[in-house]
């Protein structure tokens, strides 16, 4: 491969969504170039610090539910292809103060789509998983067929599959600009040269702002923290195989967590909040702020007290948030040969296998069988007239 070579599709940013797209493109015979400023899987984006929850009874409506079900099928295909287990059906338990969130609508949606889900009282939750301490008025929803994905292994598996299918990968290459003309080719300028393709997919995660003004999306990058805690007295009730993945919705915020996997400790993260981060700025390490551990420990102490032992380790990652926490999967408003995938808002990884397939379909056929209306940029008031060049 050499700079200046022509490709059918270039993927800029090859974390979870981009690497999946690269595989789906190359497996269909498309001349595919993958470009990343790091060497995926890596610790500079949103996919590290395994694992990630996968659920199907989703609150975003039918478009998200159908995409989640397709993603589950594609993760299983990737497992078969890679020979490695990536998806673990631990079940996922969602618990919440009903003044914050109620599960009735999601359970109704689940039933319509054939998804196993049951509503539980706080008493039933405490009986089935004795590690919980919950007020009597809390409610829950349990999905027995949900679970978690080993995120870094997933990205590595898609990388291997993409390269095996013929994709080329350039790592350590910072994309510093994109040039496009309506109906023409696209040039991606990087620190390792210029590359040309008929179409480009940009899945830049927290770095989307670096492409302004060519791409101007309402995506805000946020520093997020997670911690792994050792259960008290080596309490085995929280071990994988016994305890489900979980979410907690309280008046103090929303949290998500995982059982102790191979002695890793119970993992907990906060979904809301976080400090703004801008590309090029240092990302403060875990423990730099009092709330890094404090927020997590407070929730564990209140609701999973036997899991609130010694902090084994902490990590930081990035969310890239849209104003409505929904995804962006759409064409550039002015250049139809530039596809944009971003703003996955801390809940996107589970969908990566299906989002990659959708992006490949859009790039190669111009259409998708999925309803992509909820993911359009126009919902934020971004239109063609915001750009100099008309489509």
């Amino acid at each position: 491969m050499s700079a200046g070579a022509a490709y059918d599709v270039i993927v800029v940013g090859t974390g979870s969504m981009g690497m999946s797209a690269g595989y789906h493109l190359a497996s269909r015979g498309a001349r595919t170039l993958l470009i990343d400023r790091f060497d995926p899987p890596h610790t500079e984006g949103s996919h590290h610090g395994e694992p990630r929850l996968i659920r199907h009874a989703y609150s975003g409506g039918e478009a998200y539910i159908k995409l989640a079900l397709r993603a589950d099928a594609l993760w299983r295909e990737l497992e078969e292809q890679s020979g490695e287990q990536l998806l673990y059906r631990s079940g996922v338990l969602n618990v919440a103060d009903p003044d914050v969130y109620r599960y009735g609508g999601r359970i109704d949606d689940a039933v319509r789509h054939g998804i196993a889900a049951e509503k539980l009282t706080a008493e039933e939750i405490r009986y089935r998983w004795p590690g919980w301490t919950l007020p009597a008025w809390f409610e829950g929803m349990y999905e027995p067929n949900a679970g978690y994905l080993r995120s870094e292994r997933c990205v590595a598996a898609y990388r291997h599959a993409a390269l095996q299918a013929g994709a080329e990968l350039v790592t350590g290459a910072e994309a510093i600009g994109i040039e496009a003309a309506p109906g023409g080719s696209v040039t991606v300028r990087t620190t390792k040269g210029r590359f040309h393709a008929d179409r480009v997919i940009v899945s830049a995660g927290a770095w989307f702002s670096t492409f302004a003004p060519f791409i101007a999306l309402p995506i805000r990058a946020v520093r997020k923290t997670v911690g792994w805690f050792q259960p008290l007295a080596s309490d085995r009730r929280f071990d994988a195989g016994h305890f489900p993945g979980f979410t907690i919705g309280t008046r103090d915020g929303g949290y998500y967590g995982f059982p102790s996997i191979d002695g890793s400790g119970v993992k907990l993260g906060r979904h809301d909040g976080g400090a703004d981060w801008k590309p090029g700025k240092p990302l403060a390490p875990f423990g730099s702020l009092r709330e890094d551990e404090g927020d997590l420990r407070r929730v564990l102490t209140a609701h999973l007290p036997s899991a609130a032992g010694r902090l084994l380790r902490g990590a930081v990652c990035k969310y890239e948030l849209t104003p409505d926490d929904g995804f962006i999967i759409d064409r550039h408003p002015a250049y139809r040969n530039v596809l944009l995938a971003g703003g996955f808002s801390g809940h996107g990884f589970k969908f990566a296998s299906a989002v990659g397939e959708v992006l490949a379909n859009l790039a190669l056929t111009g259409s998708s069988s999925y309803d992509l209306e909820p993911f359009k940029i126009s919902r934020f008031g971004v239109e063609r007239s915001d750009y100099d060049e008309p489509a």
Side-chain angles (χ1 to χ4, degrees), residues 118-129 140:
E118 57 181 314
K119 187 175 181 179
L120 300 173
T121 66
E123 182 179 4
E124 290 170 328
I125 293 168
R126 292 193 299 264
Y127 176 79
R128 291 171 65 168
W129 299 281

Side-chain angles (χ1 to χ4, degrees), residues 69 109-116 145:
L69 292 171
D109 287 343
V111 170
R112 282 196 294 271
H113 290 86
I115 299 167
N145 295 323

Side-chain angles (χ1 to χ4, degrees), residues 193-214:
R194 300 166 66 93
F195 302 93
H196 311 282
D198 296 326
R199 294 167 290 279
V200 166
I201 295 170
V202 184
S203 53
W207 279 267
F208 255 104
S209 63
T210 64
F211 293 101
F214 178 79

Side-chain angles (χ1 to χ4, degrees), residues 123-156:
E123 182 179 4
E124 290 170 328
I125 293 168
R126 292 193 299 264
Y127 176 79
R128 291 171 65 168
W129 299 281
W132 284 98
T133 297
L134 296 172
W137 61 88
F138 268 45
E139 298 176 350
M141 182 186 75
Y142 180 60
E143 279 190 72
N145 295 323
Y148 57 86
L149 294 156
R150 301 301 292 265
S151 54
E152 294 164 46
R153 296 183 186 180
C154 290
V155 174

Side-chain angles (χ1 to χ4, degrees), residues 205-209 216-221 319-323 328 341-344:
W207 279 267
F208 255 104
S209 63
L217 301 178
I219 294 176
R220 181 170 64 97
Y319 275 15
E320 56 274 6
L321 302 170
T322 61
I328 292 173
F344 291 99

